[in-house]
Amino acid sequence: MIVQEVGAVITAAQGVLPRALVLATPGTHKDGAVVWGGGNVPWENLQIMAPLQQAYPGIPLIMLENDAHLGALGEVRRLDHVPDLALYVTISTGIG
């Protein structure tokens, strides 16, 4: 499922492989898998990293991270001065 979706995006980019691929998913992660989808998606122990690394060995960096964590990081990095401490709260399908 996810491997095919990534493939569709790469095809739309005329087959140009990115230098990095970061997947932002809800829930908790461990060892390249979504352990629990956070109630938003019915994923439990879904292996993501290994299938992507096998399908796209030409992409040097493939990462799996929590979507709220990446959102916080992105918002803080946009600031002119990056603070030592920041609070980011998402309110969407849940609060995280």
Side-chain angles (χ1 to χ4, degrees), residues 49-62:
M49 294 292 292
L52 284 170
Q53 289 167 335
Q54 290 170 356
Y56 303 104
I59 300 175
L61 178 62
I62 300 177

Side-chain angles (χ1 to χ4, degrees), residues 1-2 25-48 64:
M1 162 180 78
I2 292 172
T25 69
T28 56
H29 309 112
K30 183 176 181 181
D31 299 327
V34 177
V35 178
W36 176 65
N40 298 334
V41 290
W43 297 342
E44 188 172 320
N45 298 317
L46 175 67
Q47 292 295 323
I48 292 180
L64 172 65

Side-chain angles (χ1 to χ4, degrees), residues 6-93:
V6 169
V9 172
I10 290 172
T11 299
Q14 300 176 351
V16 177
L17 288 177
R19 294 179 50 101
L21 171 62
V22 181
L23 285 94
T25 69
T28 56
H29 309 112
K30 183 176 181 181
D31 299 327
V34 177
V35 178
W36 176 65
N40 298 334
V41 290
W43 297 342
E44 188 172 320
N45 298 317
L46 175 67
Q47 292 295 323
I48 292 180
M49 294 292 292
L52 284 170
Q53 289 167 335
Q54 290 170 356
Y56 303 104
I59 300 175
L61 178 62
I62 300 177
M63 297 174 60
L64 172 65
E65 292 292 337
N66 176 273
D67 57 351
H69 294 173
L70 287 176
L73 192 62
E75 290 296 330
V76 168
R77 293 290 305 256
R78 290 182 44 193
L79 301 173
D80 291 333
H81 170 72
V82 177
D84 293 332
L85 180 64
L87 175 64
Y88 175 81
V89 178
T90 60
I91 301 174
S92 57
T93 55

